[in-house]
Amino acid sequence: MGWVRHLSGSLADPPEVLGGKAHGLVLLHRLGLPVPAGVVVTTDACRAFLRDGELPAGLLDELVTAVGTLGAPAVSVRSGAAVSMPGMMDTVLNLRPTPETLAQALKSVFSSWHTPRARTYRTLHGIPHDLGTAVVVQRMVLGDRDSASGSGVAFSRDPTTGENAPFGEVLFGRQGSAVVSGRSLTGPLRELDREPVVRQGLLAALRRLEQHYRDACYVEFTFESGELWLLQVRPGGFTGAAAVRLAVDLADEGVLTRAEALVRVAPHHLQHVRTPRIASDADVIGRGLGVCPGVAVGRVAVTSDDAVRLAAEGPVVLVRPETSPDDIRGLAAATGIVTARGGPASHAAVVARSMGKPAVVGVADLVVGPGSLAFAGNDIGVGATITIDGTSGDVVLGTPPVVTAGADEHLRRLLGWADEVSGECSERPEAERLAAAHAVLGARPSPGPGNAA
């Protein structure tokens, strides 16, 4: 079949060939949702390039011919491995598609598979180094075209709590890279009210995708002159309290059976259900947006190198203006993350959630210098101890009291279902009660979401 595939609903290759991003785009096509026209270069081509040091014979001609059918004056060139690696590889935007520029862009994305940050991320997440990445080439849609254009990200439900309410952020007049970098101040999803056609289309797409996945979902989108385009989709991947509430709510809605809801929640998720919180009487020195629940205490580091060095002596909280893929070693070393800029889809937020680390982003009046930081003008020395609350977004100097809430109604109901299945006594630890139910149900993976298109 060659190295290149046209993106359409009839494409049947698995994610191992198309990459996860293109596989999601195929699903969007099948559901009749708006997707910019595009093609995908398979992971086989990447592996051949990494092995031989040059593009495989015939690949460039095949790609130029395929891209020519898109009729696009400019294209985007994005990586898309079979396993999500947020921000770890190169992206080329607004590229005029000529043989020379396409070859350069393709080599850049393929080569970024072996950058130190990408290798570190794969090592941290147990992703094999020999998978390679697919490359998605699509007609460029312009979020910065005019005042009726913009970009954003959205979850069909709140990823922190699991609440059944769309959650996300939007940035008018800008491309999606400005949203995910964290460098620009985004607005909440409700600001799409000023573009009602885009808002209605997005909410309808989220509902349709939930029906397909039988799970919450995440999308990246751009709108150009009032027209909505979807650029990426995947299941929500909720954990902790959000996973519990989502499973119970989907069972109540008749989307899942109770048995399916039980299997959706892994026993280790229960370690994070009773989320610790900073006591309400603590002296807060800064407040931002909590994007990954939990409390982290540690010494302040303002660079990734310092975080790695200080972590050898004890817990560290990495504090940055915003993070980038180059910060991956510091993010891995830290117990918690704080940024001055960014929202729930910023790089810091996405990586923190993937690592399960408490994080606070978008802290107003936080200024981070080369070797110092200040909250609202109050200087805090590098190496000082701070505590952060990834639910409330609070930042406190020192080590304040921490409280832990009891089980909520969703957890009680889920565990009650587990006891009914297993016949076990409710006096056992919660994770053991859930694991006992999983054993009776065959301990099989959830039949619901996955990444099947």
Side-chain angles (χ1 to χ4, degrees):
M1 291 182 64
W3 305 106
V4 180
R5 311 281 194 272
H6 282 270
L7 289 171
S8 72
S10 63
L11 200 55
D13 297 277
E16 292 75 19
V17 174
L18 301 179
K21 184 172 296 180
H23 202 245
L25 295 174
V26 170
L27 168 62
L28 294 173
H29 274 289
R30 289 180 184 171
L31 297 180
L33 297 172
V35 185
V39 300
V40 57
V41 181
T42 66
T43 57
D44 292 333
C46 178
R47 287 191 290 271
F49 172 81
L50 296 175
R51 181 189 65 234
D52 302 330
E54 58 185 9
L55 296 178
L59 168 57
L60 187 58
D61 289 342
E62 188 181 351
L63 179 59
V64 169
T65 300
V67 171
T69 67
L70 304 181
V75 296
S76 62
V77 183
R78 293 183 168 92
S79 64
V83 181
S84 179
M85 294 173 52
M88 294 300 129
M89 289 176 288
D90 287 355
T91 292
V92 181
L93 300 177
N94 212 18
L95 181 76
R96 187 168 65 90
T98 69
E100 295 77 15
T101 58
L102 273 174
Q104 184 177 3
L106 203 56
K107 290 177 182 178
S108 173
V109 177
F110 282 163
S111 296
S112 67
W113 177 259
H114 277 326
T115 58
R117 64 177 185 256
R119 293 189 67 87
T120 299
Y121 187 90
R122 290 196 297 273
T123 298
L124 291 170
H125 291 81
I127 301 171
H129 292 297
D130 59 355
L131 293 181
T133 182
V135 176
V136 176
V137 182
Q138 286 181 285
R139 179 176 68 81
M140 192 73 190
V141 289
L142 302 176
D144 56 358
R145 182 171 185 175
D146 52 34
S147 61
S149 302
S151 302
V153 300
F155 291 88
S156 59
R157 306 189 186 213
D158 190 316
T160 302
T161 67
E163 179 186 359
N164 187 6
F167 179 92
E169 53 189 319
V170 65
L171 190 58
F172 280 83
R174 301 291 297 276
Q175 294 289 74
S177 56
V179 177
V180 299
S181 70
R183 294 190 181 96
S184 300
L185 181 63
T186 59
L189 206 58
R190 63 175 178 273
E191 290 189 5
L192 275 180
D193 288 349
R194 66 188 255 194
E195 289 295 328
V197 173
V198 173
R199 180 181 181 276
Q200 291 166 11
L202 177 63
L203 296 182
L206 292 174
R207 288 193 296 269
R208 183 71 186 90
L209 288 162
E210 270 210 1
Q211 291 170 2
H212 170 81
Y213 284 126
R214 300 168 69 227
D215 192 2
C217 64
Y218 164 87
V219 300
E220 297 177 8
F221 64 92
T222 292
F223 50 102
E224 181 181 26
S225 300
E227 185 173 8
L228 173 68
W229 298 96
L230 302 182
L231 307 180
Q232 186 169 349
V233 63
R234 62 174 181 264
F238 292 0
T239 60
V244 171
R245 176 166 182 171
L246 175 63
V248 172
D249 284 351
L250 289 176
D252 288 344
E253 295 165 19
V255 176
L256 302 177
T257 65
R258 289 185 176 182
E260 289 172 330
L262 286 166
V263 174
R264 284 287 183 92
V265 181
H268 71 265
H269 286 164
L270 301 191
Q271 299 173 10
H272 307 289
V273 169
R274 287 192 174 89
T275 307
R277 301 287 304 277
I278 293 175
S280 58
D281 58 352
D283 185 13
V284 175
I285 60 171
R287 179 170 286 132
L289 176 66
V291 291
C292 190
V295 170
V297 182
R299 298 169 64 196
V300 168
V302 295
T303 70
S304 288
D305 286 343
D306 285 346
V308 173
R309 177 176 55 83
L310 291 173
E313 304 169 6
V316 172
V317 175
L318 178 63
V319 183
R320 302 282 295 141
E322 72 273 333
T323 66
S324 75
D326 291 329
D327 288 311
I328 188 64
R329 290 177 63 249
L331 293 166
T335 60
I337 302 156
V338 178
T339 63
R341 297 189 283 270
S346 64
H347 179 267
V350 171
V351 174
R353 283 193 292 265
S354 75
M355 294 181 172
K357 297 187 177 188
V360 177
V361 301
V363 179
D365 299 323
L366 168 60
V367 178
V368 184
S372 64
L373 68 155
F375 290 91
N378 298 311
D379 291 336
I380 304 296
V382 172
T385 297
I386 63 172
T387 302
I388 68 171
D389 186 328
T391 301
S392 67
D394 291 345
V395 181
V396 174
L397 187 63
T399 54
V402 173
V403 297
T404 302
D408 68 6
E409 180 61 24
H410 293 90
L411 178 58
R412 285 193 291 268
R413 293 181 62 203
L414 186 79
L415 292 173
W417 300 344
D419 293 341
E420 290 175 8
V421 167
S422 67
E424 294 285 344
C425 173
S426 61
E427 298 301 319
R428 298 179 65 185
E430 294 168 349
E432 291 184 14
R433 293 162 66 186
L434 185 58
H438 280 203
V440 172
L441 294 169
R444 55 186 179 274
S446 163
N451 289 314

